[in-house]
Amino acid sequence: MTQQGCDIGLIGLGTMGRNFVLNLADHGFAVAVYNRTAEKTKDFMDNEVGARPIQAGYDLQEFIGLLRQPRALILLVAAGAPVDAVLRELWPLLSPGDLVIDGGNSHFTDTNRRGRFLSGKQLNFMGLGVSGGEAGARYGPSLMPGGSREGYDRVGPMLEAAAARVKGEPCVAYLGPRSAGHYVKMVHNGIEYGLMELIVETYDLFKRGLGLTPAELASIYDRWNREELNSFLVGITAKIFTRQDDRTGKPLIDLILDKAKQKGTGMWTSWDAMDLQVGTPTIDAAVVMRDMSGYKEERLAASQVLAGPCQTFKGDRQRCIGQVKNALYAGMIATYAQGLALLQKASATYDYGLDLEAVARIWRGGCIIRAALLEDIRSAYKTKAELPNLLMDPHLGKEFLSREADLREVVQMAAALGLPAPGLMATLSYFDAYRSAVLPGNLIQAQRDFFGAHTYERLDAPGAFHTEWEEE
Ligand code: 6PG
């Protein structure tokens, strides 16, 4: 602790909170900590802190008293009602100019509401997206701050020290006002859902279609992770397939119940994409498949009565594996393209002033969606900040096009085998829709005009037209 008090405070000593405190302290910052249940604080202080510059407050008043002024403190508590509960108790204890940072996965509209409330109390507020799980929090997360610029100028050096680094650059940047940081984190998670869904579809094709064993799968994904698919998610997938169950000695993956859970951030991304009328079909498919995975009992019953094609692949297996790899890479490009197109629209609509090159830069390390591909994505926005869609970047467009035929074949293969691959299928349709100069929206307009006199526009004349479709 400096003479004037701790540099920063942290409320919420869950795994993320504890790890982030240790990370900040290891970078030389004095940290004050507080947790609602005092035993957790005591346990942390007794067992993890050691000689680090960390002080505990056992009630909020004591905690606040440990901080130097103007104060800066981070909340790492569960998103939703707990954040409001802490803020209600906290704000009356603070002084004008103090800074509160919410580091949870809060919904961006909550962040806007809280920011308005606190600024009415002369307090600064930031919504901070934190990605990278426990290891990220401890050794370098990707940080997505938004909200008070003045607040960022104060804590920026601490966040930069604690963040992951790629090629010397910290994976943090001030993203914009109000909820800009939490919005970017929400879309990060939407992309995370999309990438995970694409990967699990390739697994399903390999497992049920090609009958590959976990050991074979481990070697494929490990190889992929050393090539252009290099990414955190492909890397952990390879590792998952190598793990044997302690209790049975069998591959653990085969013993895990196939019901995928979710905390909602992928769904929020799809909701807001629909609200802003930006197509994010790969992400939407990922959300739907998590929901459908939950209908285990219904699926078991349906599997007895709804027959489908034989799921065994009969073609050239090596060729197939190469095609699936290309399909996955194309899918990854399209998933980032959808997420970043959403960010572009959100930035214009909500007036965030996002710099998409900075977003791609801070996603290159520390976070769950870090991938070698983000270097190319960053370059694309460096060359053209207003790029409407990553598929229109000459390099990434070419990368996608060179894999398009394989994506098409893999989608056909999945359909022929009766294996669900909605992420890959949606990706292909997204591409086909995006590159279509003409879509069948004309018929929708005619139908709307037929049943509701909603009018339509014409290709050959300006204005709104209506036709009496039912002739006497
Ligand atoms: C991250 C993750 C994290 C997320 C979990 C679980 O960036 O570190 O996105 O924030 O909460 O991965 O998310 P789901 O429970 O929704 O799968």
Side-chain angles (χ1 to χ4, degrees):
M1 197 169 88
T2 64
Q3 272 182 335
Q4 303 83 14
C6 291
D7 299 307
I8 193 158
L10 189 134
I11 297 180
L13 291 174
T15 317
M16 290 292 285
R18 289 201 307 277
N19 283 350
F20 199 54
V21 170
L22 296 174
N23 180 348
L24 286 164
D26 283 349
H27 283 95
F29 300 104
V31 191
V33 298
Y34 169 77
N35 194 74
R36 196 164 40 89
T37 45
E39 300 82 70
K40 218 173 199 171
T41 311
K42 190 167 179 326
D43 175 68
F44 176 65
M45 295 304 291
D46 290 348
N47 300 312
E48 294 184 57
V49 165
R52 294 183 182 90
I54 299 172
Q55 299 242 324
Y58 287 88
D59 61 48
L60 269 182
Q61 193 93 49
E62 185 192 2
F63 165 74
I64 295 297
L66 294 171
L67 298 168
R68 80 168 143 81
Q69 297 192 34
R71 304 178 185 93
L73 50 101
I74 303 182
L75 269 54
L76 271 173
V77 299
V83 177
D84 288 313
V86 175
L87 288 178
R88 253 194 313 275
E89 279 186 66
L90 186 65
W91 77 260
L93 305 175
L94 298 175
S95 314
D98 286 353
L99 167 68
V100 180
I101 304 169
D102 173 15
N105 274 335
S106 293
H107 192 271
F108 71 99
T109 54
D110 285 337
T111 301
N112 289 334
R113 171 176 57 76
R114 290 167 185 148
R116 277 195 303 272
F117 174 80
L118 292 174
S119 81
K121 310 286 174 205
Q122 275 82 54
L123 297 169
N124 294 307
F125 185 57
M126 284 171 59
L128 173 69
V130 179
S131 179
E134 298 168 19
R138 180 69 185 89
Y139 300 108
S142 171
L143 298 173
M144 293 155 248
S148 163
R149 174 79 228 195
E150 185 194 327
Y152 184 78
D153 291 340
R154 202 147 13 107
V155 293
M158 284 186 259
L159 300 183
E160 282 171 28
R165 292 191 104 78
V166 175
K167 299 181 184 165
E169 293 173 299
C171 293
V172 56
Y174 175 76
L175 294 172
R178 289 163 277 108
S179 54
H182 274 152
Y183 197 94
V184 170
K185 177 62 178 25
M186 177 187 79
V187 174
H188 164 286
N189 283 28
I191 294 172
E192 171 184 308
Y193 274 52
L195 300 179
M196 289 168 78
E197 172 61 24
L198 293 169
I199 293 171
V200 307
E201 289 176 12
T202 64
Y203 158 60
D204 202 20
L205 281 166
F206 287 157
K207 185 189 168 205
R208 287 200 279 171
L210 273 63
L212 299 186
T213 63
E216 289 168 319
L217 291 166
S219 109
I220 290 172
Y221 289 93
D222 180 56
R223 181 158 36 82
W224 287 1
N225 191 40
R226 283 181 276 114
E227 298 165 354
E228 72 266 29
L229 283 170
N230 172 256
S231 56
F232 174 75
L233 286 168
V234 170
I236 62 165
T237 301
K239 286 189 185 145
I240 287 167
F241 292 128
T242 63
R243 178 55 71 96
Q244 310 301 313
D245 175 41
D246 293 339
R247 291 161 60 177
T248 62
K250 293 183 181 154
L252 183 54
I253 187 67
D254 293 339
L255 299 167
I256 296 177
L257 179 67
D258 54 330
K259 277 185 178 178
K261 300 283 166 66
Q262 54 185 316
K263 295 203 198 78
T265 45
M267 181 175 67
W268 296 348
T269 306
S270 289
W271 281 352
D272 209 56
M274 294 216 178
D275 225 23
L276 299 184
Q277 300 177 328
V278 178
T280 55
T282 311
I283 296 169
D284 305 344
V287 177
V288 170
M289 285 307 278
R290 287 211 194 183
D291 294 339
M292 289 200 70
S293 79
Y295 306 159
K296 178 72 174 175
E297 293 71 27
E298 232 175 293
R299 289 190 285 110
L300 274 170
S303 71
Q304 302 302 311
V305 290
L306 302 175
C310 161
Q311 292 175 335
T312 311
F313 176 75
K314 304 242 165 49
D316 178 337
R317 296 154 70 85
Q318 280 319 311
R319 178 167 179 267
C320 171
I321 293 169
Q323 288 181 309
V324 171
K325 177 188 174 194
N326 286 338
L328 176 57
Y329 194 68
M332 281 177 72
I333 295 174
T335 306
Y336 286 106
Q338 292 166 30
L340 284 152
L342 173 57
L343 283 183
Q344 198 154 50
K345 185 73 183 285
S347 180
T349 309
Y350 305 134
D351 211 7
Y352 287 145
L354 291 178
D355 170 356
L356 295 186
E357 189 215 326
V359 172
R361 170 164 60 76
I362 68 174
W363 283 351
R364 290 175 310 151
C367 65
I368 305 298
I369 64 168
R370 62 187 186 258
L373 176 56
L374 278 159
E375 288 291 354
D376 292 348
I377 295 175
R378 180 195 183 177
S379 303
Y381 286 113
K382 201 172 191 166
T383 313
K384 193 170 179 191
E386 297 309 317
L387 193 66
N389 189 298
L390 283 177
L391 292 172
M392 293 298 280
D393 171 67
H395 171 69
L396 287 168
K398 214 159 85 201
E399 293 287 315
F400 189 100
L401 282 172
S402 68
R403 292 167 175 85
E404 178 227 335
D406 284 339
L407 173 62
R408 223 170 268 288
E409 254 194 74
V410 169
V411 164
Q412 284 167 3
M413 190 171 80
L417 295 172
L419 294 172
L424 291 165
M425 290 177 182
T427 298
L428 183 60
S429 293
Y430 176 77
F431 167 75
D432 282 334
Y434 191 67
R435 68 184 187 85
S436 287
V438 177
L439 283 170
N442 51 337
L443 179 54
I444 289 179
Q445 284 300 78
Q447 290 166 333
R448 292 177 70 247
D449 191 54
F450 192 118
F451 62 66
H454 294 296
T455 75
Y456 55 88
E457 292 170 286
R458 295 180 62 101
L459 289 167
D460 56 359
F465 295 84
H466 170 61
T467 295
E468 286 303 323
W469 293 92
E470 210 88 84
E471 279 173 341
E472 297 301 311

